[in-house]
Amino acid sequence: SQQGEEDPQALSIQEGENATMNCSYKTSINNLQWYRQNSGRGLVHLILIRSNEREKHSGRLRVTLDTSKKSSSLLITASRAADTASYFCATLLNAGGTSYGKLTFGQGTILTVHP
Amino acid sequence: ETGVTQSPTHLIKTRGQQVTLRCSSQSGHNTVSWYQQALGQGPQFIFQYYREEENGRGNFPPRFSGLQFPNYSSELNVNALELDDSALYLCASSPRRNQETQYFGPGTRLLVL
């Protein structure tokens, strides 16, 4: 079963606009990550935010995490046509040591940026 | 490019057949995980291998099995293929000490007819 639920399922915007995607999850987490996937190909890691962090930035990406609401958002500022892709949130429940790192993904948001 | 490679890129099989998918991990990564991604869905964790042994498994039947070799390359084997096995299969590698970030290969798209 999916841990995360993403909203919206699809988002269509014009170049230069901001895109915001939301993710909700069900259980306690070590961290939450966002990945990008172009046209059903491999996943590219974008950004990771730990459970004790509230906000993180990387270039045009801004991620927030609200552990009390079990939710996260990904903001892409000044979007470009090349940002067109599917975006997934993923939670990591256990990592390192003798446990294993199982990523649990949401169903994703399809972002289309029109030139 | 993550340095993780998978082969083949595409594969067509018929129901009941067996399939083997291959993955070569990024250099220095001794942990490999496999995921299944059905069309329009997020990836689902199949299992993880470390030191050539299965080290965690998702909700997949035993006909999904794997191997990890001393050079950290890996195989995913699926027996008695079913139509619902049609999906993109992704492998991801990570160093054992830090599994927070996993590096994904481009995937193998399997179609079962």
Side-chain angles (χ1 to χ4, degrees), chain A residues 1-2 31 33 35 37 40-43 45 48 50 88 92 95-103 105-107, chain B residues 2 33 35 37 40-45 48 55-57 88 90 96-97 99-102 104-107 109:
Chain A
S1 62
Q2 302 287 325
N31 65 58
Q33 308 178 32
Y35 285 81
Q37 185 176 41
R41 299 179 65 186
L43 294 159
H45 181 265
L48 178 154
R50 294 191 170 82
F88 294 90
L92 189 69
T98 57
S99 59
Y100 61 92
K102 166 188 172 183
L103 284 174
F105 286 85
Q107 293 192 329
Chain B
T2 63
S33 302
Y35 293 81
Q37 186 179 20
Q41 303 292 316
Q44 291 201 15
F45 177 79
Q48 184 183 84
N55 184 42
R57 189 177 186 94
L88 181 69
L90 298 160
R96 181 62 176 177
R97 292 176 302 168
Q99 296 176 45
E100 286 189 329
T101 301
Q102 297 188 19
F104 283 82
R109 187 163 295 282

Side-chain angles (χ1 to χ4, degrees), chain A residues 47-65:
Chain A
I47 193 166
L48 178 154
I49 186 165
R50 294 191 170 82
S51 58
N52 61 353
E53 297 175 313
R54 292 297 168 257
E55 186 171 313
K56 202 161 184 179
H57 296 257
S58 177
R60 293 184 296 114
L61 305 180
R62 172 178 168 255
V63 170
T64 62
L65 179 65

Side-chain angles (χ1 to χ4, degrees), chain A residues 12-17 79-84 111-115:
Chain A
S12 181
I13 59 175
Q14 294 295 126
E15 235 177 0
E17 294 181 339
S79 64
R80 306 165 182 167
D83 294 329
T84 295
L111 173 65
T112 303
V113 181
H114 300 282

